[in-house]
Amino acid sequence: MKDKCTKYEGLFMFTDKEKFLAHVEECPDCKAEHEKMQRVSELIKEVAPSIKRKRANRARLKLACASFALIICVSTLGVLNFNQDLNDIIRYGHTLTVEDYGFPVDSYGLIVVN
């Protein structure tokens, strides 16, 4: 009984293409392995465009999210800058008190409950 040839992987990795293909033509075991690898390679090439589409869709989604966040930030800052009522109440380092919210307070600053 003849042992199965195990040189395919070694020749594929470490020799030049001509020597590898010459061995594949001579050896039926390596030829069968090479045909199997060619089919796998064709399947991978078939799937590659869908992977590229998914990556492109993810990139578009990230761009849309970043654009949405930028629009929200710009509009919020625009409202704060142009609304003078909010500008007078909210300042850097100024904390809002209960009076700022419009609740009735007593002389101690506590909320008056009637």
Side-chain angles (χ1 to χ4, degrees):
M1 185 171 157
K2 183 183 169 201
D3 291 331
K4 186 175 181 182
C5 180
T6 58
K7 295 180 185 178
Y8 181 80
E9 185 177 344
L11 291 173
F12 181 76
M13 297 293 280
F14 300 113
T15 62
D16 58 344
K17 191 173 184 178
E18 293 82 23
K19 193 173 184 180
F20 169 70
L21 291 177
H23 176 76
V24 167
E25 291 300 321
E26 297 172 357
C27 180
D29 295 333
C30 291
K31 188 172 189 173
E33 186 74 21
H34 187 66
E35 288 172 359
K36 189 188 320 179
M37 290 299 164
Q38 290 298 323
R39 285 183 294 210
V40 171
S41 178
E42 289 170 5
L43 287 174
I44 290 172
K45 288 177 185 176
E46 185 178 317
V47 173
S50 67
I51 292 172
K52 288 180 183 177
R53 273 195 309 269
K54 285 181 184 179
R55 287 183 183 163
N57 288 341
R58 281 191 188 139
R60 287 185 192 122
L61 181 63
K62 288 178 185 177
L63 179 65
C65 290
S67 300
F68 180 73
L70 182 68
I71 289 170
I72 294 297
C73 290
V74 167
S75 63
T76 303
L77 290 174
V79 167
L80 288 177
N81 283 338
F82 293 119
N83 192 345
Q84 295 302 320
D85 296 335
L86 286 176
N87 239 358
D88 292 338
I89 295 172
I90 301 174
R91 294 271 186 223
Y92 179 73
H94 182 262
T95 57
L96 294 175
T97 62
V98 178
E99 286 178 296
D100 293 334
Y101 288 117
F103 294 113
V105 293
D106 60 5
S107 60
Y108 296 107
L110 301 173
I111 297 175
V112 176
V113 178
N114 292 336

